[in-house]
Amino acid sequence: MTKFARSLRRAFLPALLLLCLLPAASFASADLPEYIRIGLKYGSTAVEYCDLRSESGFLIADFDQDEGFSEVLPLPAYKRVRITAENGCLVLRDESGVLLSADLGNNCILAYDYEDGGALGVAGGNYRGGIRCRIESSGRLTVINCLLLDEYVYGILNNEMSYTYPAEALKAQAVCARSFAACNLGRHSSYGFDICTTSHCQLYRGLDSERDNCTAAVDATHGEFLCVSGEPVPAYYATNSGGHTSNAEDVWGSPISYLRAKEDPYSPSFNWSYMVSREELQTRLESAGYSIGSLRTLEVTDRTDYGAVQALRMEGSSGTATLKKDNIRTVLGPNSVKSLFFTVAGEKEDQSEAYFALLTKKASEAVSQEYRLAAGKDIRTAALWFLQDCAREACDELDYSGPEPASGSFITFSGHGFGHGLGMSQQGAKAMAEQGFDYAEILEFYYTGAEVLACE
Ligand SMILES: [Zn+2]
């Protein structure tokens, strides 16, 4: 897989004629392997032993990331086997404990009918391809799923984007997922695999999470990658841009040519608010190494011209801390502070009507839920705290500098968008697909200067 040609994504004659006149764009970096290694269990989730199930029996095979599987030993008579570590070797036994292999080494175990799509039952799920284990220094086992790159993408697509999305959005997501994986090979090489199954890499759940229209989207874009200057790039994506994508340097600190801020008229509006007690915020700050004592004020001190928060300054009883860019969400919780497009109640320029409107709207549920919860279901205390918060906000607006508000008071972040805001907005991709854009147009909109190239 070394050469890339322009995608045949629009399979009509003029494009084909044009294609014949164009030189094939070549792919100059290292070869992409056909197969990928996914870490199902490792580190803190590593296992004592690995049980495998297959109704068709098993196969022990040598595995190579370019060549795939080559049979070493067929075991069609067995339905369940177990891999354990014994004296530093990986040992395979049947369910009665009879030894089948004294040293599996780097070999994979496959379902006997894997070539016909037979999957292995392992770790509570079903997986295509093969399973190999590795003994960690703790003596426990890393469990690795080795399979074709596109089979991997089958098993992530519905986890990263709902299978109910239109076909062109799913195709865009398939190209993103494949490109991200191809550019992150070896990310977990210290554990002997490429990609993990969590949102650290991409959410992979194997065969059980596959859906027919996701599989169709993967097949329809087989071999296609998001490329810049003829080379695949990791296609970062997020749920909702909030109406404006971000520059990579405004989120992570360093510029990336194809991750540029632009207005996004397609991403539907997504508003959020996050109400949190000062104690909870202090706890989060302390666990991230910021010990500033009792939290007094939060203030946004820097924003991009398109509104993404660049610096959040916090003053406490024994120090100050300034969180910058995406570290704000990392420290405070990316599912709580859902984007960098936010205001904080208490921030002077944002003592706005919007906040008070929000408070009014939230008042009944706030008193009955968050406040009541924090007050140990004592509704009178809850109501008192709520009123104290309202009073504190009013005082802040008047630039009042009296005593500190009572402990137990809450801070509200209000914002729009969900995710880091880099690259494709998944909800925007859905809207574009519904408006008739194809997946290449969706990707070229969200990734400045990028194009979809097919691997020959
Ligand atoms: Zn990972």
Side-chain angles (χ1 to χ4, degrees), residues 187-188 196 200-201:
R187 194 177 191 192
H188 294 271
C196 73
H200 173 262
C201 290

Side-chain angles (χ1 to χ4, degrees), residues 352-367:
S352 59
E353 286 178 23
Y355 175 64
F356 287 100
L358 176 74
L359 267 191
T360 309
K361 181 167 162 275
K362 291 271 177 186
S364 57
E365 63 189 75
V367 171

Side-chain angles (χ1 to χ4, degrees), residues 283-296:
T283 304
R284 292 199 181 196
L285 286 169
E286 277 163 19
S287 59
Y290 299 92
S291 296
I292 59 169
S294 179
L295 181 63
R296 285 179 175 153

Side-chain angles (χ1 to χ4, degrees), residues 125-142:
N126 293 288
Y127 294 87
R128 293 176 184 267
I131 292 289
R132 102 180 349 165
C133 290
R134 218 166 165 259
I135 305 172
E136 296 190 2
S137 56
S138 66
R140 296 168 79 86
L141 302 181
T142 302

Side-chain angles (χ1 to χ4, degrees), residues 42 187-188 193-202:
Y42 72 104
R187 194 177 191 192
H188 294 271
F193 62 88
D194 296 306
I195 303 264
C196 73
T197 60
T198 72
S199 59
H200 173 262
C201 290
Q202 302 187 103

